[in-house]
Amino acid sequence: MKHLVFFFGLLALPALAADIEPRPGWAVHPTTKTHDALVADTIAAVKANGMAVVTQAGPTKAAAARGITIPGNRVIGVFNNDYAVRVLEQSVPAMIEAPIRLYVTENEDGTATLSYKTPSLVFAPYTEGADALPAIAAELDAKFAAIADLAVK
């Protein structure tokens, strides 16, 4: 009986996900860079493209402090005040989506991937702002693509 309890207890443990795969509405950029290098290059690319790193979060270091090893994982929130004001002029509810997040994950082979939901996908549910909000989202799509292009070089 103890063995069955142990076995079913193992089934309850969370599985670590594999590498990020492309999915609708996401931009996924695998690289040969290490996780730490891609995080640094992404932050530099954000700044070089006139945006700001508003937030950063990741469970890797906190897990390590608890004696748990997990792959590198960092969420980087990106926005700037110009876009914030413009979004708010169109839709107060849509502003909950800011900052838009970039996601840097360590792959099984030690390389890293930069991925994100496109701003057009993020702002799609908001009907306020008629054509203006989708136009802002399209501008942000181009801005985030430029950030990604620079970061993954």
Side-chain angles (χ1 to χ4, degrees), residues 66-138:
R66 296 175 42 223
I68 302 168
T69 301
I70 61 173
N73 189 292
R74 178 79 57 93
V75 177
I76 303 168
V78 175
F79 223 62
N80 75 16
N81 188 257
D82 177 57
Y83 284 108
V85 169
R86 292 174 60 205
V87 168
L88 281 168
E89 288 173 346
Q90 302 305 314
S91 172
V92 170
M95 194 57 195
I96 196 168
E97 304 298 346
I100 296 172
R101 297 173 310 272
L102 298 169
Y103 192 27
V104 180
T105 51
E106 184 176 15
N107 301 319
E108 292 178 4
D109 66 0
T111 62
T113 295
L114 173 62
S115 58
Y116 59 93
K117 292 180 183 178
T118 62
S120 289
L121 176 71
V122 170
F123 288 120
Y126 302 94
T127 56
E128 304 89 354
D131 296 329
L133 190 57
I136 294 167

Short mmCIF file of all heavy atoms in Angstrom, two decimals, residues 66-138:
data_model
loop_
_atom_site.label_atom_id
_atom_site.label_comp_id
_atom_site.label_asym_id
_atom_site.label_seq_id
_atom_site.Cartn_x
_atom_site.Cartn_y
_atom_site.Cartn_z
N ARG A 66 15.47 27.04 -2.58
CA ARG A 66 14.75 25.98 -1.88
C ARG A 66 15.34 24.60 -2.19
O ARG A 66 14.79 23.58 -1.81
CB ARG A 66 13.28 26.00 -2.31
CG ARG A 66 12.57 27.27 -1.89
CD ARG A 66 11.13 27.37 -2.41
NE ARG A 66 10.41 26.14 -2.30
CZ ARG A 66 9.61 25.64 -3.26
NH1 ARG A 66 9.44 26.32 -4.37
NH2 ARG A 66 8.99 24.51 -3.10
N GLY A 67 16.45 24.58 -2.93
CA GLY A 67 17.09 23.32 -3.26
C GLY A 67 16.50 22.62 -4.47
O GLY A 67 16.76 21.44 -4.70
N ILE A 68 15.73 23.35 -5.26
CA ILE A 68 15.08 22.78 -6.45
C ILE A 68 15.73 23.37 -7.69
O ILE A 68 15.84 24.59 -7.82
CB ILE A 68 13.57 23.08 -6.45
CG1 ILE A 68 12.92 22.53 -5.18
CG2 ILE A 68 12.91 22.53 -7.71
CD1 ILE A 68 11.50 23.02 -4.96
N THR A 69 16.15 22.52 -8.60
CA THR A 69 16.75 22.97 -9.85
C THR A 69 15.72 22.91 -10.96
O THR A 69 15.14 21.85 -11.21
CB THR A 69 17.96 22.09 -10.22
OG1 THR A 69 18.91 22.15 -9.14
CG2 THR A 69 18.61 22.56 -11.50
N ILE A 70 15.47 24.06 -11.57
CA ILE A 70 14.58 24.12 -12.73
C ILE A 70 15.29 24.89 -13.83
O ILE A 70 16.21 25.66 -13.56
CB ILE A 70 13.22 24.78 -12.40
CG1 ILE A 70 13.40 26.23 -11.92
CG2 ILE A 70 12.45 23.97 -11.36
CD1 ILE A 70 12.10 27.00 -11.75
N PRO A 71 14.87 24.71 -15.08
CA PRO A 71 15.48 25.45 -16.18
C PRO A 71 15.28 26.96 -16.00
O PRO A 71 14.30 27.40 -15.37
CB PRO A 71 14.74 24.96 -17.42
CG PRO A 71 14.15 23.64 -17.02
CD PRO A 71 13.86 23.76 -15.55
N GLY A 72 16.19 27.74 -16.59
CA GLY A 72 16.06 29.20 -16.56
C GLY A 72 14.73 29.64 -17.11
O GLY A 72 14.25 29.11 -18.12
N ASN A 73 14.12 30.61 -16.44
CA ASN A 73 12.77 31.03 -16.79
C ASN A 73 12.60 32.47 -16.33
O ASN A 73 12.67 32.75 -15.14
CB ASN A 73 11.79 30.10 -16.05
CG ASN A 73 10.37 30.29 -16.46
OD1 ASN A 73 9.78 31.31 -16.20
ND2 ASN A 73 9.83 29.27 -17.10
N ARG A 74 12.41 33.40 -17.27
CA ARG A 74 12.26 34.81 -16.91
C ARG A 74 11.16 35.44 -17.74
O ARG A 74 11.12 35.30 -18.97
CB ARG A 74 13.57 35.54 -17.17
CG ARG A 74 13.56 37.03 -16.89
CD ARG A 74 13.70 37.39 -15.42
NE ARG A 74 14.89 36.84 -14.83
CZ ARG A 74 16.05 37.49 -14.74
NH1 ARG A 74 16.18 38.71 -15.19
NH2 ARG A 74 17.09 36.89 -14.17
N VAL A 75 10.27 36.15 -17.08
CA VAL A 75 9.22 36.93 -17.73
C VAL A 75 9.62 38.40 -17.59
O VAL A 75 9.90 38.86 -16.48
CB VAL A 75 7.85 36.68 -17.08
CG1 VAL A 75 6.78 37.56 -17.73
CG2 VAL A 75 7.47 35.20 -17.18
N ILE A 76 9.65 39.09 -18.72
CA ILE A 76 10.08 40.49 -18.75
C ILE A 76 8.90 41.32 -19.26
O ILE A 76 8.49 41.17 -20.42
CB ILE A 76 11.31 40.67 -19.65
CG1 ILE A 76 12.45 39.77 -19.18
CG2 ILE A 76 11.73 42.13 -19.71
CD1 ILE A 76 13.61 39.66 -20.17
N GLY A 77 8.35 42.17 -18.40
CA GLY A 77 7.24 43.03 -18.79
C GLY A 77 7.76 44.29 -19.47
O GLY A 77 8.64 44.97 -18.93
N VAL A 78 7.20 44.60 -20.64
CA VAL A 78 7.71 45.68 -21.48
C VAL A 78 6.57 46.63 -21.88
O VAL A 78 5.51 46.17 -22.33
CB VAL A 78 8.37 45.10 -22.75
CG1 VAL A 78 8.80 46.20 -23.71
CG2 VAL A 78 9.52 44.18 -22.39
N PHE A 79 6.80 47.92 -21.74
CA PHE A 79 5.85 48.92 -22.22
C PHE A 79 6.54 50.28 -22.14
O PHE A 79 7.71 50.36 -21.76
CB PHE A 79 4.57 48.92 -21.37
CG PHE A 79 3.31 49.03 -22.19
CD1 PHE A 79 2.97 48.06 -23.11
CD2 PHE A 79 2.47 50.10 -22.03
CE1 PHE A 79 1.82 48.15 -23.87
CE2 PHE A 79 1.30 50.21 -22.78
CZ PHE A 79 0.97 49.24 -23.70
N ASN A 80 5.85 51.34 -22.52
CA ASN A 80 6.33 52.69 -22.24
C ASN A 80 5.13 53.61 -22.08
O ASN A 80 4.00 53.26 -22.41
CB ASN A 80 7.35 53.19 -23.27
CG ASN A 80 6.76 53.57 -24.60
OD1 ASN A 80 5.56 53.78 -24.75
ND2 ASN A 80 7.61 53.68 -25.62
N ASN A 81 5.38 54.80 -21.56
CA ASN A 81 4.29 55.71 -21.21
C ASN A 81 3.52 56.20 -22.44
O ASN A 81 2.31 56.39 -22.37
CB ASN A 81 4.81 56.88 -20.39
CG ASN A 81 3.67 57.71 -19.86
OD1 ASN A 81 3.39 58.79 -20.39
ND2 ASN A 81 3.00 57.21 -18.83
N ASP A 82 4.20 56.40 -23.55
CA ASP A 82 3.50 56.84 -24.76
C ASP A 82 2.42 55.84 -25.14
O ASP A 82 1.27 56.22 -25.39
CB ASP A 82 4.50 57.03 -25.92
CG ASP A 82 3.79 57.41 -27.21
OD1 ASP A 82 3.07 58.44 -27.22
OD2 ASP A 82 3.91 56.66 -28.20
N TYR A 83 2.78 54.57 -25.19
CA TYR A 83 1.77 53.55 -25.53
C TYR A 83 0.71 53.44 -24.45
O TYR A 83 -0.47 53.25 -24.74
CB TYR A 83 2.43 52.20 -25.78
CG TYR A 83 3.11 52.15 -27.14
CD1 TYR A 83 4.49 52.16 -27.25
CD2 TYR A 83 2.36 52.10 -28.30
CE1 TYR A 83 5.12 52.14 -28.49
CE2 TYR A 83 2.97 52.07 -29.55
CZ TYR A 83 4.35 52.09 -29.64
OH TYR A 83 4.95 52.05 -30.87
N ALA A 84 1.09 53.59 -23.19
CA ALA A 84 0.11 53.51 -22.10
C ALA A 84 -0.96 54.59 -22.25
O ALA A 84 -2.16 54.30 -22.15
CB ALA A 84 0.82 53.65 -20.75
N VAL A 85 -0.54 55.80 -22.51
CA VAL A 85 -1.50 56.90 -22.67
C VAL A 85 -2.40 56.64 -23.88
O VAL A 85 -3.63 56.81 -23.81
CB VAL A 85 -0.76 58.25 -22.79
CG1 VAL A 85 -1.71 59.37 -23.22
CG2 VAL A 85 -0.09 58.59 -21.47
N ARG A 86 -1.82 56.20 -24.97
CA ARG A 86 -2.60 55.96 -26.19
C ARG A 86 -3.60 54.82 -26.00
O ARG A 86 -4.74 54.90 -26.46
CB ARG A 86 -1.67 55.68 -27.36
CG ARG A 86 -0.87 56.92 -27.77
CD ARG A 86 0.16 56.64 -28.81
NE ARG A 86 -0.46 56.13 -30.03
CZ ARG A 86 0.19 55.35 -30.91
NH1 ARG A 86 1.47 55.06 -30.73
NH2 ARG A 86 -0.44 54.92 -31.98
N VAL A 87 -3.19 53.75 -25.33
CA VAL A 87 -4.11 52.64 -25.06
C VAL A 87 -5.24 53.12 -24.16
O VAL A 87 -6.42 52.84 -24.41
CB VAL A 87 -3.37 51.43 -24.46
CG1 VAL A 87 -4.36 50.40 -23.92
CG2 VAL A 87 -2.46 50.79 -25.50
N LEU A 88 -4.91 53.85 -23.10
CA LEU A 88 -5.93 54.34 -22.17
C LEU A 88 -6.94 55.27 -22.85
O LEU A 88 -8.11 55.28 -22.50
CB LEU A 88 -5.28 55.06 -21.00
CG LEU A 88 -4.72 54.15 -19.92
CD1 LEU A 88 -3.85 54.94 -18.95
CD2 LEU A 88 -5.84 53.43 -19.20
N GLU A 89 -6.48 56.04 -23.83
CA GLU A 89 -7.41 56.90 -24.57
C GLU A 89 -8.46 56.08 -25.33
O GLU A 89 -9.55 56.56 -25.59
CB GLU A 89 -6.64 57.78 -25.56
CG GLU A 89 -5.84 58.88 -24.90
CD GLU A 89 -4.95 59.63 -25.88
OE1 GLU A 89 -4.72 59.16 -27.02
OE2 GLU A 89 -4.45 60.69 -25.48
N GLN A 90 -8.12 54.84 -25.65
CA GLN A 90 -9.02 53.99 -26.42
C GLN A 90 -9.83 53.04 -25.54
O GLN A 90 -11.00 52.79 -25.80
CB GLN A 90 -8.24 53.19 -27.47
CG GLN A 90 -7.45 54.03 -28.43
CD GLN A 90 -8.31 55.07 -29.12
OE1 GLN A 90 -9.41 54.77 -29.60
NE2 GLN A 90 -7.83 56.30 -29.17
N SER A 91 -9.16 52.48 -24.52
CA SER A 91 -9.81 51.45 -23.71
C SER A 91 -9.16 51.34 -22.35
O SER A 91 -8.04 50.84 -22.24
CB SER A 91 -9.73 50.09 -24.43
OG SER A 91 -10.19 49.06 -23.59
N VAL A 92 -9.87 51.77 -21.33
CA VAL A 92 -9.35 51.62 -19.97
C VAL A 92 -9.20 50.13 -19.62
O VAL A 92 -8.16 49.73 -19.08
CB VAL A 92 -10.25 52.37 -18.95
CG1 VAL A 92 -9.87 52.03 -17.53
CG2 VAL A 92 -10.16 53.87 -19.19
N PRO A 93 -10.17 49.28 -19.94
CA PRO A 93 -9.99 47.85 -19.61
C PRO A 93 -8.78 47.21 -20.29
O PRO A 93 -8.13 46.33 -19.72
CB PRO A 93 -11.29 47.20 -20.09
CG PRO A 93 -12.29 48.29 -20.08
CD PRO A 93 -11.53 49.53 -20.45
N ALA A 94 -8.43 47.64 -21.50
CA ALA A 94 -7.30 47.04 -22.23
C ALA A 94 -5.97 47.27 -21.52
O ALA A 94 -5.03 46.49 -21.68
CB ALA A 94 -7.24 47.59 -23.65
N MET A 95 -5.90 48.31 -20.72
CA MET A 95 -4.63 48.64 -20.06
C MET A 95 -4.21 47.56 -19.07
O MET A 95 -3.02 47.50 -18.70
CB MET A 95 -4.74 50.01 -19.39
CG MET A 95 -3.42 50.59 -18.99
SD MET A 95 -2.28 50.75 -20.37
CE MET A 95 -0.79 51.02 -19.47
N ILE A 96 -5.11 46.69 -18.68
CA ILE A 96 -4.73 45.59 -17.77
C ILE A 96 -3.70 44.68 -18.44
O ILE A 96 -2.96 43.96 -17.76
CB ILE A 96 -5.95 44.79 -17.28
CG1 ILE A 96 -5.55 43.95 -16.06
CG2 ILE A 96 -6.52 43.93 -18.41
CD1 ILE A 96 -6.71 43.33 -15.32
N GLU A 97 -3.62 44.73 -19.74
CA GLU A 97 -2.69 43.87 -20.48
C GLU A 97 -1.25 44.40 -20.45
O GLU A 97 -0.33 43.71 -20.84
CB GLU A 97 -3.14 43.70 -21.92
CG GLU A 97 -4.55 43.16 -22.08
CD GLU A 97 -4.74 41.77 -21.51
OE1 GLU A 97 -3.76 41.06 -21.20
OE2 GLU A 97 -5.91 41.36 -21.39
N ALA A 98 -1.08 45.63 -20.00
CA ALA A 98 0.26 46.21 -19.93
C ALA A 98 0.87 45.92 -18.56
O ALA A 98 0.16 45.97 -17.56
CB ALA A 98 0.20 47.70 -20.18
N PRO A 99 2.13 45.63 -18.50
CA PRO A 99 3.06 45.52 -19.62
C PRO A 99 2.86 44.21 -20.38
O PRO A 99 2.40 43.22 -19.82
CB PRO A 99 4.42 45.54 -18.94
CG PRO A 99 4.19 44.95 -17.59
CD PRO A 99 2.80 45.39 -17.21
N ILE A 100 3.20 44.26 -21.64
CA ILE A 100 3.19 43.04 -22.45
C ILE A 100 4.46 42.27 -22.12
O ILE A 100 5.53 42.84 -21.95
CB ILE A 100 3.09 43.39 -23.95
CG1 ILE A 100 1.74 44.09 -24.20
CG2 ILE A 100 3.23 42.13 -24.81
CD1 ILE A 100 1.58 44.65 -25.58
N ARG A 101 4.33 40.96 -22.03
CA ARG A 101 5.44 40.16 -21.51
C ARG A 101 6.23 39.45 -22.60
O ARG A 101 5.66 38.88 -23.53
CB ARG A 101 4.87 39.13 -20.53
CG ARG A 101 4.24 39.82 -19.32
CD ARG A 101 3.51 38.88 -18.41
NE ARG A 101 2.56 37.99 -19.05
CZ ARG A 101 1.27 38.28 -19.27
NH1 ARG A 101 0.80 39.44 -18.92
NH2 ARG A 101 0.48 37.40 -19.85
N LEU A 102 7.55 39.49 -22.42
CA LEU A 102 8.48 38.66 -23.17
C LEU A 102 8.86 37.50 -22.25
O LEU A 102 9.01 37.70 -21.04
CB LEU A 102 9.73 39.45 -23.55
CG LEU A 102 9.51 40.65 -24.47
CD1 LEU A 102 10.78 41.49 -24.55
CD2 LEU A 102 9.08 40.20 -25.85
N TYR A 103 9.05 36.34 -22.81
CA TYR A 103 9.30 35.14 -22.01
C TYR A 103 10.59 34.48 -22.49
O TYR A 103 10.69 34.07 -23.64
CB TYR A 103 8.11 34.20 -22.18
CG TYR A 103 8.02 33.04 -21.23
CD1 TYR A 103 8.56 33.07 -19.96
CD2 TYR A 103 7.34 31.90 -21.62
CE1 TYR A 103 8.43 32.00 -19.10
CE2 TYR A 103 7.20 30.82 -20.76
CZ TYR A 103 7.75 30.87 -19.51
OH TYR A 103 7.62 29.80 -18.65
N VAL A 104 11.58 34.41 -21.61
CA VAL A 104 12.86 33.78 -21.94
C VAL A 104 12.94 32.47 -21.17
O VAL A 104 12.87 32.45 -19.94
CB VAL A 104 14.06 34.68 -21.59
CG1 VAL A 104 15.38 33.99 -21.94
CG2 VAL A 104 13.95 36.03 -22.30
N THR A 105 13.05 31.38 -21.92
CA THR A 105 13.07 30.05 -21.31
C THR A 105 14.32 29.29 -21.74
O THR A 105 14.78 29.42 -22.88
CB THR A 105 11.83 29.23 -21.72
OG1 THR A 105 11.70 29.25 -23.15
CG2 THR A 105 10.57 29.80 -21.10
N GLU A 106 14.84 28.53 -20.80
CA GLU A 106 16.00 27.68 -21.10
C GLU A 106 15.48 26.36 -21.68
O GLU A 106 14.57 25.74 -21.15
CB GLU A 106 16.80 27.41 -19.82
CG GLU A 106 18.05 26.61 -20.06
CD GLU A 106 18.87 26.43 -18.80
OE1 GLU A 106 18.34 26.67 -17.68
OE2 GLU A 106 20.04 26.05 -18.92
N ASN A 107 16.08 25.96 -22.79
CA ASN A 107 15.70 24.72 -23.46
C ASN A 107 16.44 23.53 -22.86
O ASN A 107 17.43 23.69 -22.14
CB ASN A 107 15.99 24.83 -24.96
CG ASN A 107 15.24 25.98 -25.59
OD1 ASN A 107 14.08 26.22 -25.29
ND2 ASN A 107 15.92 26.71 -26.46
N GLU A 108 15.97 22.36 -23.18
CA GLU A 108 16.57 21.13 -22.65
C GLU A 108 18.05 21.00 -23.00
O GLU A 108 18.81 20.41 -22.24
CB GLU A 108 15.79 19.92 -23.15
CG GLU A 108 14.39 19.84 -22.56
CD GLU A 108 13.58 18.67 -23.10
OE1 GLU A 108 14.12 17.85 -23.88
OE2 GLU A 108 12.40 18.57 -22.73
N ASP A 109 18.47 21.57 -24.15
CA ASP A 109 19.87 21.45 -24.58
C ASP A 109 20.76 22.58 -24.06
O ASP A 109 21.92 22.70 -24.46
CB ASP A 109 19.95 21.35 -26.10
CG ASP A 109 19.51 22.61 -26.82
OD1 ASP A 109 19.11 23.60 -26.14
OD2 ASP A 109 19.55 22.63 -28.07
N GLY A 110 20.22 23.45 -23.19
CA GLY A 110 21.02 24.54 -22.63
C GLY A 110 20.92 25.84 -23.40
O GLY A 110 21.44 26.87 -22.95
N THR A 111 20.29 25.82 -24.57
CA THR A 111 20.06 27.06 -25.31
C THR A 111 18.81 27.73 -24.74
O THR A 111 18.18 27.20 -23.81
CB THR A 111 19.86 26.78 -26.82
OG1 THR A 111 18.69 25.96 -26.98
CG2 THR A 111 21.09 26.09 -27.41
N ALA A 112 18.45 28.88 -25.30
CA ALA A 112 17.28 29.60 -24.78
C ALA A 112 16.38 30.06 -25.92
O ALA A 112 16.83 30.22 -27.05
CB ALA A 112 17.72 30.79 -23.95
N THR A 113 15.12 30.28 -25.56
CA THR A 113 14.12 30.74 -26.52
C THR A 113 13.48 32.02 -25.99
O THR A 113 13.18 32.12 -24.80
CB THR A 113 13.04 29.66 -26.72
OG1 THR A 113 13.64 28.51 -27.32
CG2 THR A 113 11.90 30.15 -27.61
N LEU A 114 13.26 32.97 -26.89
CA LEU A 114 12.50 34.17 -26.59
C LEU A 114 11.13 34.00 -27.23
O LEU A 114 11.02 33.71 -28.43
CB LEU A 114 13.19 35.41 -27.17
CG LEU A 114 12.42 36.73 -27.07
CD1 LEU A 114 12.18 37.11 -25.62
CD2 LEU A 114 13.16 37.83 -27.82
N SER A 115 10.08 34.15 -26.44
CA SER A 115 8.73 34.04 -26.99
C SER A 115 7.83 35.08 -26.35
O SER A 115 8.15 35.63 -25.30
CB SER A 115 8.18 32.63 -26.79
OG SER A 115 8.16 32.29 -25.42
N TYR A 116 6.73 35.36 -27.02
CA TYR A 116 5.75 36.29 -26.48
C TYR A 116 4.44 36.17 -27.25
O TYR A 116 4.43 35.73 -28.40
CB TYR A 116 6.25 37.74 -26.53
CG TYR A 116 6.60 38.25 -27.92
CD1 TYR A 116 5.65 38.93 -28.69
CD2 TYR A 116 7.86 38.06 -28.46
CE1 TYR A 116 5.96 39.40 -29.96
CE2 TYR A 116 8.19 38.53 -29.73
CZ TYR A 116 7.23 39.20 -30.47
OH TYR A 116 7.54 39.66 -31.73
N LYS A 117 3.35 36.53 -26.57
CA LYS A 117 2.07 36.68 -27.25
C LYS A 117 2.15 38.01 -28.00
O LYS A 117 2.58 39.02 -27.43
CB LYS A 117 0.92 36.74 -26.26
CG LYS A 117 0.66 35.44 -25.54
CD LYS A 117 -0.50 35.62 -24.57
CE LYS A 117 -0.75 34.38 -23.77
NZ LYS A 117 -1.85 34.58 -22.80
N THR A 118 1.74 38.01 -29.25
CA THR A 118 1.81 39.26 -30.00
C THR A 118 0.84 40.29 -29.41
O THR A 118 -0.23 39.93 -28.90
CB THR A 118 1.46 39.05 -31.48
OG1 THR A 118 0.11 38.57 -31.58
CG2 THR A 118 2.43 38.07 -32.15
N PRO A 119 1.22 41.55 -29.44
CA PRO A 119 0.31 42.58 -28.94
C PRO A 119 -1.06 42.54 -29.61
O PRO A 119 -2.08 42.78 -28.96
CB PRO A 119 1.06 43.88 -29.22
CG PRO A 119 2.51 43.47 -29.09
CD PRO A 119 2.55 42.10 -29.74
N SER A 120 -1.12 42.19 -30.89
CA SER A 120 -2.42 42.08 -31.55
C SER A 120 -3.30 41.02 -30.91
O SER A 120 -4.51 41.21 -30.76
CB SER A 120 -2.25 41.77 -33.04
OG SER A 120 -1.74 42.90 -33.71
N LEU A 121 -2.69 39.91 -30.52
CA LEU A 121 -3.45 38.87 -29.81
C LEU A 121 -3.87 39.36 -28.43
O LEU A 121 -5.01 39.18 -28.02
CB LEU A 121 -2.62 37.60 -29.68
CG LEU A 121 -3.28 36.48 -28.87
CD1 LEU A 121 -4.43 35.86 -29.65
CD2 LEU A 121 -2.25 35.43 -28.49
N VAL A 122 -2.95 40.00 -27.74
CA VAL A 122 -3.22 40.47 -26.37
C VAL A 122 -4.38 41.46 -26.35
O VAL A 122 -5.24 41.40 -25.48
CB VAL A 122 -1.94 41.09 -25.77
CG1 VAL A 122 -2.22 41.80 -24.46
CG2 VAL A 122 -0.87 40.02 -25.57
N PHE A 123 -4.41 42.39 -27.31
CA PHE A 123 -5.44 43.42 -27.31
C PHE A 123 -6.70 43.05 -28.11
O PHE A 123 -7.68 43.81 -28.10
CB PHE A 123 -4.87 44.75 -27.82
CG PHE A 123 -3.92 45.40 -26.85
CD1 PHE A 123 -2.60 45.65 -27.19
CD2 PHE A 123 -4.34 45.77 -25.58
CE1 PHE A 123 -1.72 46.25 -26.31
CE2 PHE A 123 -3.48 46.36 -24.68
CZ PHE A 123 -2.16 46.61 -25.04
N ALA A 124 -6.70 41.92 -28.76
CA ALA A 124 -7.84 41.52 -29.61
C ALA A 124 -9.18 41.48 -28.89
O ALA A 124 -10.21 41.82 -29.49
CB ALA A 124 -7.55 40.18 -30.27
N PRO A 125 -9.26 41.06 -27.63
CA PRO A 125 -10.58 40.98 -26.98
C PRO A 125 -11.26 42.33 -26.71
O PRO A 125 -12.45 42.37 -26.40
CB PRO A 125 -10.29 40.29 -25.64
CG PRO A 125 -8.98 39.63 -25.82
CD PRO A 125 -8.23 40.48 -26.80
N TYR A 126 -10.55 43.42 -26.84
CA TYR A 126 -11.09 44.72 -26.46
C TYR A 126 -11.69 45.42 -27.68
O TYR A 126 -11.00 45.69 -28.65
CB TYR A 126 -10.00 45.58 -25.80
CG TYR A 126 -9.44 44.87 -24.60
CD1 TYR A 126 -8.30 44.07 -24.71
CD2 TYR A 126 -10.10 44.92 -23.38
CE1 TYR A 126 -7.81 43.37 -23.61
CE2 TYR A 126 -9.62 44.23 -22.27
CZ TYR A 126 -8.48 43.45 -22.40
OH TYR A 126 -8.01 42.75 -21.32
N THR A 127 -12.98 45.68 -27.61
CA THR A 127 -13.69 46.26 -28.76
C THR A 127 -13.73 47.79 -28.72
O THR A 127 -14.08 48.41 -29.71
CB THR A 127 -15.13 45.72 -28.82
OG1 THR A 127 -15.78 45.99 -27.57
CG2 THR A 127 -15.12 44.22 -29.08
N GLU A 128 -13.37 48.37 -27.59
CA GLU A 128 -13.32 49.83 -27.52
C GLU A 128 -12.20 50.31 -28.44
O GLU A 128 -11.24 49.62 -28.69
CB GLU A 128 -13.00 50.30 -26.08
CG GLU A 128 -13.92 49.81 -25.01
CD GLU A 128 -13.50 48.47 -24.40
OE1 GLU A 128 -12.53 47.84 -24.87
OE2 GLU A 128 -14.16 48.05 -23.47
N GLY A 129 -12.35 51.52 -28.91
CA GLY A 129 -11.27 52.10 -29.72
C GLY A 129 -11.36 51.75 -31.18
O GLY A 129 -10.46 52.08 -31.95
N ALA A 130 -12.43 51.08 -31.59
CA ALA A 130 -12.70 50.75 -33.00
C ALA A 130 -11.43 50.38 -33.75
O ALA A 130 -10.88 49.31 -33.56
CB ALA A 130 -13.46 51.88 -33.66
N ASP A 131 -10.96 51.29 -34.60
CA ASP A 131 -9.77 51.01 -35.40
C ASP A 131 -8.48 51.44 -34.70
O ASP A 131 -7.40 50.97 -35.05
CB ASP A 131 -9.86 51.73 -36.75
CG ASP A 131 -11.01 51.21 -37.59
OD1 ASP A 131 -11.35 50.01 -37.46
OD2 ASP A 131 -11.59 52.00 -38.36
N ALA A 132 -8.57 52.33 -33.74
CA ALA A 132 -7.37 52.89 -33.11
C ALA A 132 -6.62 51.86 -32.28
O ALA A 132 -5.40 51.77 -32.36
CB ALA A 132 -7.72 54.11 -32.27
N LEU A 133 -7.32 51.07 -31.46
CA LEU A 133 -6.64 50.10 -30.62
C LEU A 133 -5.95 49.03 -31.46
O LEU A 133 -4.78 48.71 -31.21
CB LEU A 133 -7.58 49.50 -29.58
CG LEU A 133 -6.91 48.65 -28.50
CD1 LEU A 133 -5.85 49.44 -27.74
CD2 LEU A 133 -7.97 48.12 -27.53
N PRO A 134 -6.61 48.47 -32.48
CA PRO A 134 -5.89 47.53 -33.35
C PRO A 134 -4.69 48.15 -34.05
O PRO A 134 -3.67 47.48 -34.26
CB PRO A 134 -6.95 47.08 -34.37
CG PRO A 134 -8.25 47.26 -33.65
CD PRO A 134 -8.05 48.49 -32.80
N ALA A 135 -4.77 49.43 -34.38
CA ALA A 135 -3.63 50.11 -35.02
C ALA A 135 -2.47 50.24 -34.03
O ALA A 135 -1.30 50.04 -34.40
CB ALA A 135 -4.05 51.49 -35.54
N ILE A 136 -2.78 50.55 -32.77
CA ILE A 136 -1.73 50.62 -31.74
C ILE A 136 -1.11 49.24 -31.55
O ILE A 136 0.12 49.11 -31.46
CB ILE A 136 -2.31 51.16 -30.41
CG1 ILE A 136 -2.76 52.62 -30.58
CG2 ILE A 136 -1.29 51.03 -29.29
CD1 ILE A 136 -3.62 53.13 -29.43
N ALA A 137 -1.96 48.22 -31.51
CA ALA A 137 -1.45 46.85 -31.36
C ALA A 137 -0.54 46.47 -32.52
O ALA A 137 0.49 45.83 -32.32
CB ALA A 137 -2.62 45.87 -31.24
N ALA A 138 -0.90 46.89 -33.74
CA ALA A 138 -0.05 46.60 -34.90
C ALA A 138 1.29 47.30 -34.79
O ALA A 138 2.33 46.73 -35.14
CB ALA A 138 -0.78 47.01 -36.19
#
